[in-house]
Amino acid sequence: MAAEKFKGTWTLEKSEGMDEFLKAMGVGTIKRKMVGSISPTLTITSEEGCDLKITQSTLIKTKVSCVEFGKERSEKSPLDDSELQVTDTLEDDGTWKTV
């Protein structure tokens, strides 16, 4: 399966344009500065019942998601904890998309 290439541990090295993006979404200055200072680590593995299991860790919290490509799932927005419905797809060219 092409999803194998995503497995491993990934750490954010830099984020460009995040402050402007968050400002346009109406996020306040203090929260924008907090978000800008966090470097999350993603650990992507296999687990029974999931195509991929994602563990996102920061100093503040850890979040675990089960991805099943082509199936809608609930996620909480990291900005305001609102419920979002997202669907992950693995494209023919190997690109992973979440909408």
Side-chain angles (χ1 to χ4, degrees):
M1 173 185 238
E4 294 292 317
K5 72 180 182 179
F6 297 107
K7 290 181 182 177
T9 299
W10 310 89
T11 302
L12 179 68
E13 291 181 359
K14 68 179 180 175
S15 178
E16 297 177 0
M18 181 60 77
D19 191 66
E20 294 83 8
F21 171 75
L22 294 173
K23 187 174 184 178
M25 291 192 62
V27 177
T29 303
I30 294 171
K31 199 168 202 176
R32 288 196 324 264
K33 297 304 176 194
M34 277 182 41
V35 169
S37 69
I38 296 172
S39 292
T41 298
L42 297 178
T43 302
I44 303 175
T45 59
S46 296
E47 184 169 294
E48 185 80 26
C50 302
D51 290 326
L52 295 173
K53 175 184 169 187
I54 306 169
T55 304
Q56 180 179 349
S57 302
T58 66
L59 291 174
I60 299 169
K61 67 179 178 179
T62 298
K63 176 181 146 186
V64 178
S65 301
C66 175
V67 172
E68 294 181 80
F69 292 111
K71 292 187 178 180
E72 187 175 75
R73 61 185 170 91
S74 293
E75 280 286 323
K76 287 196 177 206
S77 168
L79 297 177
D80 62 6
D81 280 338
S82 61
E83 269 310 297
L84 304 172
Q85 296 300 313
V86 299
T87 303
D88 298 278
T89 56
L90 192 57
E91 305 297 311
D92 291 337
D93 66 357
T95 304
W96 176 356
K97 292 186 180 179
T98 304
V99 292

